[in-house]
């Protein structure tokens, strides 16, 4: 320890010199002893040479202190799953002595990304290289910190530079083209009509008979006088209705893993629906609601998340020491299990797309069922809004979340359901978990036919058809209450909606040993 303090005396923070090979120093006492026994110029020369080598080696690495400069630049501000992260690294050596070797060690947490490199650099020059990684997972990842290591030519001493700075990398979920969704009639656009409008409306040329609940200011008095009964002017509802996307991330109802999991499919669907209604033909205000698990640690981020997150404690638990991600991106560690409420209030515009994508990026499986999430969030919804529930729960919790959707409808908040069925392989391994089907609209005759077909007398086929029975049962339940329903299989390949063209350089070797650079233009999504 005393030797380490001596070697690193007056060094700035983050710089450290370490003795790598000290065993030759053991010859110094031996040479002194030999000189005492039999004085000879040989022992003196060896002693001076050994001490001189260590002195030169130490001065060599000491000369590198504050003479090394390192830069890393990330190319591309926004990354979506499937994009490539590219970084450029630059080493500059302002010392007159060359760097025979320099090791760059990075501790980034992006899966599959390891920009570790060993380079050399002459005195008064610089060296740069690039690293690339394919972003296969959404989420918030850390880039850095990193460490630089170098040493003297003899390998006696090493110089280590530790840079504790790090950067958060936000990888957004994919946005894809989705099949048309059947939202409740009258809350989709100004082209749909409602018999009793609860929001602003415009008069049309059509008239109809008065119905209880119609406003008297819509009564067409001249026509009413002619017909001897009240007649009202039909109205066209204005484009209304903020859309709330409620994503079910309850771990108990999820199936599959990776990109073919119901969780990932649900997140892609939520992102795609938001992009469709915020920047597509049907412009609406869109919000997001989900209850993922509170993560153990969160990294500071420079991205403008601009969404609210709150802690929802477990039922019956009080005083949980839990952390939440606030709007400024700061977080704290979570010691007890709790649910993290991701609440992005509905807003219009394309900027809202990126707010929702940023909120979806770190979402993981939680412990709150969809029915309980809807019950606790009743105060967020108001009349005239629409709820789109995305859930893989088509068996056990159907009654709970259906009851909550009916409660919302009585409050003037209609709902639609997008059910995610397990991928083909998962359905084969566990038929009771459900099987994927094509998109199905709720129709009572269809539900009855499916029920009759799948509830046959063949007992051997009952286990294999359990998933279809569950889907038929869900269709039947929602059709009774006129709640639109559509199925989508987990892992379904959907065409990307966010694409752009880019040009990248590919290096190829020739038979003669040369290198040729080719510019390739490709579409990324």
């Amino acid at each position: 320890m005393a030797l380490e303090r001596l070697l690193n005396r007056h060094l700035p923070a983050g710089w450290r010199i370490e003795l790598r090979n000290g065993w030759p120093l053991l010859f110094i006492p031996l040479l002194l002893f030999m000189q005492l026994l039999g004085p000879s110029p040989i022992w003196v020369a060896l002693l001076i040479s050994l001490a001189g080598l260590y002195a030169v080696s130490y001065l060599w690495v000491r000369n590198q202190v504050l003479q090394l400069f390192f830069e890393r630049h990330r190319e591309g501000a926004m990354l979506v799953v499937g994009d490539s992260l590219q970084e450029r690294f630059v080493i500059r050596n302002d010392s007159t002595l060359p760097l025979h070797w320099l090791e760059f060690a990075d501790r980034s947490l992006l899966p599959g990304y390891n920009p570790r490199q060993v380079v050399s650099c002459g005195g008064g020059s610089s060296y740069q290289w690039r690293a690339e990684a394919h972003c296969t997972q959404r989420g918030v990842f850390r880039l850095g910190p990193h460490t630089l290591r170098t040493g003297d030519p003899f390998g006696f001493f090493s110089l280590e530079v530790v840079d504790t700075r790090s950067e958060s990398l936000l990888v957004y979920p994919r946005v894809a083209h989705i099949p048309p969704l059947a939202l409740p009639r009258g809350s989709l656009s100004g082209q749909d009509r409602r018999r009793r409008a609860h929001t602003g409306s415009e008069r049309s040329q059509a008239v109809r008979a008065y119905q209880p609940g119609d406003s008297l200011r819509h009564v067409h008095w001249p026509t009413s006088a002619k017909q001897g009964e009240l007649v009202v002017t039909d109205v066209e509802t204005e484009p209304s209705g903020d859309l709330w996307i409620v994503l079910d991330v309850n771990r108990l109802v999820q199936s599959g893993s990776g990109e073919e999991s119901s969780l990932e499919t649900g997140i892609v669907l939520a992102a795609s629906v938001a992009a469709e209604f915020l920047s597509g033909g049907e412009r609406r205000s869109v919000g997001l609601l989900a209850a993922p698990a509170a993560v153990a640690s969160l990294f500071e981020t420079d991205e403008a998340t601009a969404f609210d997150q709150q802690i929802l404690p477990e039922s019956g638990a009080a005083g949980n020491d839990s952390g939440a991600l606030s709007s400024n991106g700061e977080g704290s560690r979570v010691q007890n299990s709790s649910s993290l409420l991701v609440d992005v209030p509905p807003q219009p515009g394309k900027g809202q797309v990126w707010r929702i994508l940023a909120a979806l990026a770190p979402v993981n499986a939680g412990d709150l069922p969809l029915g309980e999430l809807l019950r606790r969030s009743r105060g967020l919804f108001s009349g005239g809004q629409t709820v789109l529930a995305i859930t893989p729960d088509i068996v056990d919790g159907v009654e709970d979340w259906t009851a909550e959707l009916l409660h919302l409808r009585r409050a003037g908040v209609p709902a639609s359901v997008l059910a995610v069925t397990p991928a083909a392989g998962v359905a084969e391994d566990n038929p009771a978990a459900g099987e994927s089907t094509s998109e199905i609209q709720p129709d009572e005759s269809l539900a009855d036919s499916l029920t009759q077909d799948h509830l046959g007398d063949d007992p051997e086929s009952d286990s294999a058809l359990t998933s279809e029975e569950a889907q038929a049962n869900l269709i039947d339940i929602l059709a009774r209450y006129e709640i639109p329903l559509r199925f989508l299989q987990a892992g379904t390949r959907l065409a990307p909606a966010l694409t752009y063209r880019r040009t990248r350089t590919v290096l190829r070797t020739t038979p003669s040993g040369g290198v040729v650079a080719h510019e390739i233009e490709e579409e990324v999504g």
Side-chain angles (χ1 to χ4, degrees), residues 369-404:
L370 176 59
E372 183 68 13
L373 174 61
L374 291 171
R375 185 185 66 80
R376 297 189 186 189
S377 306
R378 289 178 180 176
L380 294 177
F381 311 120
S382 58
Q385 295 181 335
T386 303
V387 169
L388 173 62
I390 301 177
T391 177
D393 186 5
I394 62 175
V395 182
D396 298 330
V398 171
E399 295 182 358
D400 293 336
W401 57 258
T402 301
E404 289 301 320

Side-chain angles (χ1 to χ4, degrees), residues 227-469:
Q227 296 186 3
E229 61 180 4
L230 289 179
V231 176
V232 297
T233 303
D234 205 354
V235 296
E236 290 187 358
T237 304
E238 294 178 351
S240 78
D242 300 342
L243 176 63
W244 275 99
I245 301 174
V246 182
L247 179 61
D248 183 8
V249 294
N250 181 18
R251 70 177 78 251
L252 297 180
V253 298
Q254 305 298 330
S255 61
S257 61
E259 294 185 357
E260 294 189 353
S261 66
S262 58
L263 176 63
E264 291 301 319
T265 302
I267 290 175
V268 171
L269 290 175
S272 304
V273 170
E276 174 67 22
F277 285 96
L278 285 168
S279 58
E282 305 269 357
R283 300 293 179 90
R284 306 179 67 175
S285 296
V286 180
L288 173 69
L289 183 65
V295 294
S297 62
L298 297 170
F299 307 116
E300 295 183 359
T301 176
D302 296 330
E303 301 286 347
T305 52
F307 57 89
D308 297 328
Q309 291 184 320
Q310 308 168 13
I311 284 293
L312 287 180
E314 294 293 339
S315 301
N320 285 350
D321 183 12
S322 304
L325 184 65
S326 59
S327 58
N328 61 4
E330 297 179 354
S332 60
R333 292 186 179 275
V334 178
Q335 296 180 358
N336 296 327
S337 176
S338 59
S339 296
L340 187 66
L341 178 64
V342 177
D343 167 24
V344 186
Q347 292 184 20
K350 293 184 179 181
Q352 180 74 348
V353 176
W354 297 106
R355 295 187 188 98
I356 292 179
L357 292 182
L360 287 171
V363 166
N364 56 1
D367 302 317
L368 202 64
L370 176 59
E372 183 68 13
L373 174 61
L374 291 171
R375 185 185 66 80
R376 297 189 186 189
S377 306
R378 289 178 180 176
L380 294 177
F381 311 120
S382 58
Q385 295 181 335
T386 303
V387 169
L388 173 62
I390 301 177
T391 177
D393 186 5
I394 62 175
V395 182
D396 298 330
V398 171
E399 295 182 358
D400 293 336
W401 57 258
T402 301
E404 289 301 320
L405 293 183
L406 294 176
H407 176 85
L408 291 176
R409 190 171 68 176
R410 287 193 296 269
V413 183
S416 181
V417 177
L418 181 54
V420 181
T421 58
V426 177
E428 293 175 1
D429 296 338
N430 184 14
E435 185 180 44
S436 62
T437 67
S438 58
E439 291 77 10
I440 302 175
Q441 292 294 342
D443 183 81
E444 293 190 15
S445 60
L446 177 60
D448 294 339
S449 63
L450 285 175
T451 304
Q452 293 174 1
D453 292 341
H454 300 320
L455 296 180
D457 298 330
D458 186 5
E460 296 181 358
S461 62
D462 288 347
S463 60
L465 299 178
T466 301
S467 62
E468 297 183 4
E469 294 173 11

